[in-house]
Amino acid sequence: MSDATSWPLDGATSGPADGTGSDAVPAAAAASDSIPDAASSDTPETAYHRLATLRSAWSRPAKPLLSLGAALLAYVVLSSVVLVTAVLLLAVVPGVNIARGVTSGDPTSPLDVGLALAMGAMWLPAGIVGVRVGGWRPVGTAWSIAAQLRRDRSLLLAGIGAGAVVAAAAAIAGALTGTVGTAAEPSASVPQLLLVTLLALVLAPLQAAGLELSLRGTVMQALGTWLRSPVLPVLAGTAVMLIGRDLTPAVVLPALALGLCAGVLAWKTGGLELPIALTSTLTLLSHVVGAFAAGSGAGAGIGAVGAAAAAPGTSAAALAVPAAAAPEAALAGGVAAAAGLLLLTAALALWIGRREGVALLEPVTRPAGQEAPDPVHI
């Protein structure tokens, strides 16, 4: 695992991992004097979902529940503020009929797309609150085994490439299956489409980072304080993807596949970089292609991907109106996306294993002997 040991770690000593360096003993002694629960130098290798166990204060029985509760409460408050603010602003805008609803399921509407992505982006501060306030630990421990987002371009490129392939497969499958009737085709001007693209470029990465931090990082690590096996933590994060989502096969299949694949990749790589790149790419392309191809089979096919990657409970978590008008095309896109995600995740797991020198069922871990990140003080 050559790359794993080279990532910068918060709180790591400058000596060798076994603690025999010239300054390792004084650093450890100082930590033990000032921090009662400081991690010992013989800390075993730690997988991503077990990072909350690096210090005893972080893994006390109540901390997982506090972390999840704080994240959920923060999201409810923040998303409500966004929604109420949008309604109040629209109420004073001339020519806008808010009785129609601020979310009408139109993929070409900057209002619909922007509001859905803005509410989804609130998962980012909510996840930070859950880890920092509820879990009482550094936010970096939820990003990766390096206690921060790692600057690994290969992981980012792999996630972007996989997301592009899945989005293309869904659009092609939808196009080959059928088209939407002309009566269901929304009309959109070029400025509208360009504004939708701009909003997706800005907000899709924020929503993806928030979803992975909250639904994968927080949930997986909360259960990881109790369970050594990653199976149930990964499945729990996958199940959360169904909350507040359109429970149709076209949406459920890719949503479950995305949740499962993101959890497996986070565990396998030791961080959220690849899952964030994957989810961000799927979200961005689904909105952009869905807007430009609205009213076609391709738009309906990729619409299923957009609903699957959307934040739970937002209007985007259901099929858009044009996609719902072509259920066969939407289902074909959802099935193609789910199959593509599973196949690409298996390929990525093999690639990561070879690159890092770990077996297929072994993850990249925090190296043994590394000091735990510094405790937090509020």
Side-chain angles (χ1 to χ4, degrees), residues 6-8 44 49 55 83 89 137 157 166 170 212 219-220 240 251 274 306 316 333 341 364:
S6 64
W7 292 318
H49 71 293
R55 291 186 180 275
L83 183 59
L89 290 176
R137 57 190 173 94
L157 292 175
V166 171
E212 297 307 321
V219 173
M220 284 180 61
V240 174
V251 177
L274 199 161
L341 282 167
V364 177

Side-chain angles (χ1 to χ4, degrees), residues 133-268:
V133 179
W136 202 271
R137 57 190 173 94
V139 178
T141 57
W143 290 123
S144 76
I145 56 174
Q148 63 182 23
L149 282 171
R150 298 167 294 184
R151 295 181 292 273
D152 190 335
R153 292 182 180 179
S154 60
L155 292 178
L156 296 179
L157 292 175
I160 294 172
V165 170
V166 171
I172 293 172
L176 294 177
T177 302
T179 58
V180 181
T182 56
E185 295 182 10
S187 59
S189 63
V190 172
Q192 275 185 289
L193 296 176
L194 292 179
L195 183 54
V196 167
T197 302
L198 178 61
L199 290 170
L201 283 170
V202 174
L203 295 176
L206 296 178
Q207 175 178 282
L211 285 177
E212 297 307 321
L213 178 63
S214 298
L215 304 187
R216 244 67 68 187
T218 306
V219 173
M220 284 180 61
Q221 291 185 352
L223 294 180
T225 59
W226 301 325
L227 305 170
R228 292 185 178 275
S229 171
V231 175
L232 288 181
V234 169
L235 292 178
T238 302
V240 174
M241 291 290 289
L242 296 181
I243 296 177
R245 199 169 299 279
D246 187 9
L247 298 180
T248 61
V251 177
V252 169
L253 292 177
L256 289 177
L258 179 59
L260 179 63
C261 294
V264 168
L265 292 173
W267 169 79
K268 183 67 178 179

